[in-house]
Amino acid sequence: GKVHPGYGQPPLCYYTESIDHFKPDLVELVYENDLNPTIPALINHLESKSIKFNIFSSGNLRDDINVLLRAKALVVGMGTFARGILTLSENVETFYSFQKGFTESFMSSESIKLNSEGIIIFDKNGLYKTKILSGNWSNSLEQRKLMLQYDKENLSIETYRLDS
């Protein structure tokens, strides 16, 4: 099937680094379907680190939203869905986004609760951005492989605090 060129998603190492950084007791995986190749690899990562996890891929949007609204931390892929969750949530204290992420202007907007922390994980050398996140997503074998194999050494982390 035809894919939207703007729908490239972050690499596996973004998700694993976010989890390693936050050190949760439990991870709730919320996703629409199994088309993202990082999902089975992420589940393997959680199992290998003995991190408890639940999977929410019911296709029931209301259930998925309720899970996300309960979260203390969110690790989000590309798209606009997370912005709505962050605006509505009373619980999120930390959120992770990849590359362009949520800017400081969004962090300082009244839609985000005080004492929250935004963490943007950047692609330092820009290779991932060039190959997958430049309006050129085609779901090619090469792109899917890069999603799984991109090295965490290529990432850098920046934190934005919103203090009361």
Side-chain angles (χ1 to χ4, degrees):
K2 191 151 172 48
V3 297
H4 188 290
Y7 282 6
Q9 291 296 319
L12 173 64
C13 61
Y14 156 72
Y15 296 104
T16 57
E17 282 298 286
S18 298
I19 290 165
D20 292 349
H21 184 262
F22 191 75
K23 298 174 182 38
D25 296 324
L26 172 70
V27 172
E28 314 249 61
L29 296 170
V30 180
Y31 54 92
E32 190 177 355
N33 55 46
D34 292 320
L35 295 176
N36 186 325
T38 64
I39 292 167
L42 183 56
I43 290 169
N44 288 341
H45 175 80
L46 294 169
E47 288 172 341
S48 74
K49 296 241 175 171
S50 301
I51 299 171
K52 288 191 223 113
F53 65 93
N54 294 321
I55 293 174
F56 295 89
S57 184
S58 63
N60 182 326
L61 186 60
R62 184 182 302 259
D63 291 350
D64 292 349
I65 289 171
N66 284 329
V67 170
L68 296 171
L69 289 175
R70 285 195 309 263
K72 291 265 183 258
L74 286 180
V75 179
V76 301
M78 301 309 221
T80 54
F81 188 71
R83 188 176 286 238
I85 297 297
L86 287 168
T87 303
L88 295 170
S89 176
E90 297 289 323
N91 297 311
V92 171
E93 295 164 1
T94 308
F95 59 91
Y96 293 81
S97 60
F98 186 70
Q99 203 49 34
K100 56 184 176 221
F102 298 99
T103 61
E104 282 183 89
S105 65
F106 180 59
M107 277 298 294
S108 62
S109 76
E110 290 173 22
S111 61
I112 299 291
K113 74 174 194 156
L114 294 173
N115 299 314
S116 58
E117 188 170 66
I119 296 166
I120 302 176
I121 298 184
F122 287 96
D123 174 20
K124 280 192 293 207
N125 63 19
L127 176 72
Y128 193 87
K129 183 177 187 257
T130 301
K131 298 256 184 203
I132 292 185
L133 301 177
S134 297
N136 57 344
W137 174 249
S138 64
N139 199 20
S140 70
L141 190 57
E142 179 191 358
Q143 286 177 325
R144 292 171 69 84
K145 211 164 110 179
L146 186 63
M147 285 179 81
L148 295 174
Q149 296 175 354
Y150 203 60
D151 194 322
K152 69 180 186 177
E153 298 306 313
N154 294 317
L155 304 179
S156 65
I157 297 178
E158 283 185 28
T159 301
Y160 297 90
R161 274 231 41 93
L162 183 61
D163 298 310
S164 48

